């Protein structure tokens, strides 16, 4: 069982129990996160279906920043060079549960 969610302008395939790094988002005080923009989910048959009412629930594990990405601009024969660095912030979310049409799919306890 998996779902495809959209957050931060990107799409992620998530299953219960997965750890996902998403771009910075707002969480509640207790660290709970709800993704209501579900693009599709797969049921027991394995086919991807567009849901009518679905949401994905998760918990914030940690916040951090990715490795630095160097952006280098160069124009030949013009003596122009520009170097810029960027570090993207992220939030690591553990997917706890997928709710689809009244059914609940949770992570297996191992």
């Amino acid at each position: 069982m998996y779902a495809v969610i959209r957050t931060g302008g990107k799409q992620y395939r998530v299953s219960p129990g997965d750890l996902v790094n998403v771009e910075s988002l707002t969480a509640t005080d207790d660290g709970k996160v709800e993704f209501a923009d579900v693009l599709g989910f797969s049921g027991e048959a394995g086919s991807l279906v567009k849901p009518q009412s679905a949401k994905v629930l998760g918990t914030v594990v940690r916040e951090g920043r990715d490795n630095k990405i160097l952006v280098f601009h160069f124009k030949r024969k013009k003596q122009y060079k520009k170097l810029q660095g960027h570090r993207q912030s992220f939030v690591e979310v553990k997917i706890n549960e997928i709710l689809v049409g009244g059914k609940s799919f949770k992570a297996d306890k191992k």
Side-chain angles (χ1 to χ4, degrees), residues 3-7 10-14 35 37-39 56:
V4 178
I5 61 172
R6 179 173 37 210
T7 179
K10 297 184 175 92
Q11 297 176 5
Y12 300 94
R13 177 183 167 175
V14 295
F35 300 103
D37 195 4
V38 178
L39 302 176
V56 176

Side-chain angles (χ1 to χ4, degrees), residues 50-107:
K50 172 77 172 134
Q52 296 295 328
S53 63
K55 58 185 166 180
V56 176
L57 304 176
T59 308
V60 173
V61 177
R62 69 181 178 104
E63 296 180 13
R65 296 180 76 189
D66 281 336
N67 295 330
K68 182 174 273 194
I69 297 171
L70 295 178
V71 181
F72 183 68
H73 297 276
F74 176 76
K75 293 185 181 177
R76 65 189 189 110
K77 299 181 183 177
K78 303 297 180 196
Q79 304 301 313
Y80 176 79
K81 296 183 203 96
K82 180 179 167 186
L83 183 66
Q84 182 179 3
H86 176 73
R87 290 183 71 184
Q88 182 68 39
S89 299
F90 70 89
V91 175
E92 188 172 19
V93 177
K94 180 174 173 44
I95 305 299
N96 296 330
E97 185 176 6
I98 299 175
L99 299 169
V100 179
K103 290 184 181 180
S104 174
F105 299 96
K106 293 185 179 183

